[in-house]
């Protein structure tokens, strides 16, 4: 249910770990089903043309943001770029009104990448989302093998305190170990260095826990926005949306990978704000990973509404609420009948999770004045006080908001601490990492 998408462009430590542990990676074959606002399917050729145009405009927006960030007003949004681009295309005769309507509607899909609405995405700092320019793979299982590999050394050699909340981190003057960590059981422990890896959303709510936090870091934590991405898995008796019967001879190249529902006019009771939805199909995966499952992505106000509504519900009442909300959408897929009723639901509630920061991961919204510098400031931390930060919000710019970025940020902080104590060892490790990144080829299912 976590971050199952993995970027395979260039060196990615998660891809390396997947290969090392035998964790499968699935390379998507673009096959999209689009349902319009009245609940009717859009012709495949028209849908795929609109989707291709959306990606073309996203890439153009990345390029524009990269070249013109400084002169772009902080109030400009990604959606305003879409509108301008489409208006110019219509005026030039390269796009008609119907195509413009579809493209602008499908631009809302960007919300599933950053966890909030495309109208809130900063155009000025859109270049910080440069990771969209690569190819994405999907982990059709989970991170179990990767986590076992990564956690092997800490579990064997570190002292891990579960069910213990960090209450405060404070730099001391004098003493052999300059940083004091106080936990929720009122115990104090002293360390040479501390790396704070809590999510940005938690930091926003608990800045006071880092004593003598530098004012510039505090303002950076306040400035960077935090997304609201949620996921809902729905399992069905059969993959009714795909007409192909699974067998060894089918390569599933024509099966549906993605489904997009444009802002609906047909679900006014359950979705009065007409939030658009999208999902991916697990029926496209090769055996033994193929499942009769649709994975829905929600974001922004829609996520807040769902997680608020199901919070505290268990069992049948929870499933019934989710069925009432999602049935208007999956019931409009081809092949659906009442015999296709869902078997079960599984929904995240990160917006309700204090330790997830009541959200998903960082993004960069309109109004931000110094987003790149904000990231760099938190990434730098307070080394003079032996307090560092790591996580997706401190990653290199091409890894912000990703697992790979979080992993890389941790490695970089570890190298910085090593460099402060054993410069030659840290420099050697850094050289080895650079050599790994020179050129890597991958083979996927």
């Amino acid at each position: 249910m976590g971050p199952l998408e993995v970027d395979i462009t260039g060196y990615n430590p998660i891809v390396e770990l997947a290969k090392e542990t035998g964790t499968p990676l699935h390379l998507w074959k673009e096959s999209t089903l689009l349902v319009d606002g009245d609940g009717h399917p859009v012709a495949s050729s028209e849908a795929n043309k609109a989707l291709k145009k959306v990606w073309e405009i996203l890439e153009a927006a990345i390029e524009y943001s990269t070249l013109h960030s400084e002169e772009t007003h902080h109030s400009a949004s990604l959606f305003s770029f879409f509108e301008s681009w489409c208006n110019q295309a219509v005026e030039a005769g390269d796009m008609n009104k119907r195509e413009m309507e579809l493209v602008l509607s499908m631009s809302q899909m960007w919300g599933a990448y950053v966890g909030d609405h495309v109208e809130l995405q900063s155009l000025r700092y859109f270049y910080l989302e440069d990771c969209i320019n690569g190819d994405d793979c999907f982990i059709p299982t989970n991170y179990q093998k990767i986590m076992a590999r990564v956690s092997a050394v800490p579990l064997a050699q570190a002292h891990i305190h579960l069910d213990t909340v960090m209450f405060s981190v404070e730099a001391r003057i004098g003493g052999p170990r300059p940083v004091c960590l106080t936990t929720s059981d009122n115990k104090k422990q002293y360390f040479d260095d501390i790396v704070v890896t809590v999510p940005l959303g938690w930091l926003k709510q608990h800045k006071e826990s880092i004593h003598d936090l530098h004012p510039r870091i505090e303002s950076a934590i306040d400035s960077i926005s935090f997304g609201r991405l949620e996921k809902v898995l729905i399992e069905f008796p059969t993959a009714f949306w795909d007409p192909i019967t699974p067998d060894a001879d089918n390569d599933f190249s024509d099966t549906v990978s993605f489904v997009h529902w444009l802002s609906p006019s047909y679900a006014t009771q359950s979705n009065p704000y007409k939030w658009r939805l999208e999902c991916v199909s697990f029926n496209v995966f090769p055996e033994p990973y193929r499942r009769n499952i649709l994975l829905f992505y929600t974001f922004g106000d829609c996520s807040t509404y769902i997680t608020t509504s199901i919070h505290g519900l268990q069992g049948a009442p929870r499933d019934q609420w989710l069925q009432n909300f999602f049935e208007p959408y999956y019931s409009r897929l081809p092949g659906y009948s009442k015999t296709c009723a869902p078997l079960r639901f599984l929904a995240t509630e990160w917006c309700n999770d204090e330790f997830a920061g009541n959200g998903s991961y960082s993004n960069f919204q309109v109004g931000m004045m110094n987003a790149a510098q904000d990231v760099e400031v938190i990434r730098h931390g307070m080394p003079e006080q032996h307090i560092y930060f790591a996580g997706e919000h401190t990653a290199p710019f091409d890894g912000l908001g990703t697992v790979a970025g979080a992993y890389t940020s941790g490695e970089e902080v570890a190298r910085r601490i090593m460099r402060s104590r054993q410069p030659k060892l840290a420099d050697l490790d850094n050289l080895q990492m650079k050599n790994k990144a020179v050129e890597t080829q991958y083979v996927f299912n």
Side-chain angles (χ1 to χ4, degrees):
M1 292 296 284
L4 300 175
E5 297 79 10
V6 180
D7 180 28
I8 62 171
T9 303
Y11 173 73
N12 185 320
I14 303 303
V15 173
E16 292 296 314
L17 286 166
K19 292 165 59 180
E20 180 182 333
T21 59
T23 299
L25 293 171
H26 175 77
L27 185 61
W28 291 114
K29 295 178 180 178
E30 201 73 49
S31 178
T32 301
L33 179 62
L34 178 62
V35 180
D36 68 18
D38 294 323
H40 305 304
V42 176
S44 177
S45 58
E46 194 177 13
N48 287 316
K49 182 179 179 180
L51 182 62
K52 183 179 179 180
K53 188 62 66 176
V54 168
W55 283 112
E56 180 184 331
I57 299 172
L58 286 171
E59 291 173 4
I62 284 281
E63 182 178 3
Y64 180 88
S65 178
T66 302
L67 297 175
H68 304 288
S69 176
E70 290 300 318
E71 62 262 35
T72 300
H73 197 271
H74 60 81
S75 65
S77 71
L78 175 59
F79 189 70
S80 68
F81 184 90
F82 266 87
E83 289 182 312
S84 176
W85 200 101
C86 288
N87 282 327
Q88 291 177 28
V90 170
E91 290 174 4
D94 298 328
M95 180 184 287
N96 59 44
K97 291 287 187 180
R98 163 69 174 174
E99 291 170 336
M100 176 178 175
E101 185 180 297
L102 281 179
V103 168
L104 290 178
S105 295
M106 290 193 72
S107 71
Q108 299 291 332
M109 63 183 266
W110 181 247
Y113 285 83
V114 296
D116 234 311
H117 304 282
V118 66
E119 293 88 352
L120 297 179
Q121 169 70 55
S122 168
L123 178 60
R124 178 175 178 142
Y125 292 109
F126 189 48
Y127 72 88
L128 295 177
E129 303 289 353
D130 193 33
C131 58
I132 71 166
N133 280 330
D135 291 323
D136 282 344
C137 273
F138 193 92
I139 298 177
T141 53
N142 53 45
Y143 276 81
Q144 182 177 2
K145 293 180 180 179
I146 293 176
M147 288 299 299
R149 169 67 181 82
V150 171
S151 64
V153 172
L155 287 173
Q157 300 183 21
H159 297 286
I160 299 175
H161 297 264
L162 301 177
D163 297 322
T164 305
V165 180
M166 180 193 80
F167 183 73
S168 69
V169 174
E170 184 174 5
R172 303 188 306 153
I173 299 176
R177 293 189 170 179
V179 192
C180 175
L181 173 69
T182 305
T183 52
S184 53
D185 53 8
N186 291 320
K187 291 183 179 179
K188 294 183 182 293
Q189 301 178 66
Y190 299 91
F191 300 90
D192 297 320
D193 302 275
I194 280 184
V195 183
V196 180
T197 63
V198 297
L200 175 65
W202 192 94
L203 271 179
K204 284 178 171 291
Q205 300 172 50
H206 299 87
K207 295 188 296 295
E208 72 285 351
S209 66
I210 314 295
H211 289 274
D212 297 322
L213 182 64
H214 194 285
R216 182 62 186 91
I217 297 179
E218 184 173 355
S219 68
I221 291 171
D222 286 335
S223 176
I224 301 173
S225 38
F226 201 56
R228 294 174 288 170
L229 180 72
E230 298 285 350
K231 300 180 181 181
V232 179
L233 278 164
I234 307 179
E235 184 177 11
F236 298 88
T238 62
F240 60 86
W241 55 90
D242 277 322
I244 299 176
T245 302
D247 60 50
D249 296 328
N250 286 322
D251 65 4
F252 277 70
S253 59
D254 295 326
T255 57
V256 173
S257 300
F258 309 97
V259 184
H260 296 267
W261 290 265
L262 301 184
S263 182
S265 61
Y266 48 83
T268 54
Q269 288 190 336
S270 58
N271 186 0
Y273 294 100
K274 300 183 178 180
W275 296 304
R276 51 92 62 204
L277 292 171
E278 66 181 75
C279 73
V280 298
S281 168
F282 282 18
N283 192 50
V284 300
F285 300 146
E287 294 290 0
Y289 312 113
R290 185 178 298 134
R291 296 288 185 273
N292 305 322
I293 288 175
L294 295 176
L295 169 58
F296 283 81
Y297 293 79
T298 67
F299 55 86
D301 297 335
C302 182
S303 289
T304 300
Y305 174 71
I306 291 173
T307 54
T308 300
S309 299
I310 65 175
H311 186 59
L313 296 180
Q314 299 292 332
R318 182 184 178 93
D319 287 351
Q320 187 61 58
W321 193 97
L322 291 168
Q323 181 169 338
N324 290 343
F325 184 86
F326 287 98
E327 186 174 27
Y329 312 105
Y330 61 71
S331 64
R332 280 170 168 77
L333 296 180
Y336 178 79
S337 69
K338 289 297 183 180
T339 61
C340 303
L343 300 176
R344 51 185 171 174
F345 297 82
L346 180 62
T348 62
E349 286 188 59
W350 295 314
C351 286
N352 294 327
D353 188 339
E354 175 189 0
F355 299 111
N358 301 109
S360 49
Y361 44 82
S362 60
N363 60 32
F364 304 92
Q365 297 186 8
V366 293
M368 296 189 70
M369 303 295 293
N370 299 291
Q373 188 183 76
D374 290 335
V375 173
E376 291 170 340
V377 164
I378 304 175
R379 183 192 297 155
H380 180 71
M382 300 187 295
E384 67 284 352
Q385 295 175 249
H386 301 273
I387 297 174
Y388 301 83
F389 298 92
E392 55 80 18
H393 51 289
T394 71
F397 290 158
D398 61 354
L400 291 166
T402 69
V403 173
Y407 186 97
T408 301
S409 76
E411 287 190 324
E412 179 55 32
V413 166
R415 278 194 287 272
R416 289 173 61 193
I417 294 173
M418 290 170 60
R419 193 177 296 122
S420 70
R421 302 176 184 282
Q422 302 177 16
K424 290 184 179 180
L425 180 61
D427 289 342
L428 176 61
D429 183 60
N430 198 33
L431 177 62
Q432 290 172 340
M433 291 298 295
K434 287 182 178 179
N435 288 338
K436 278 186 181 182
V438 172
E439 185 172 352
T440 311
Q441 293 184 348
Y442 310 110
V443 178
F444 302 98
N445 291 321

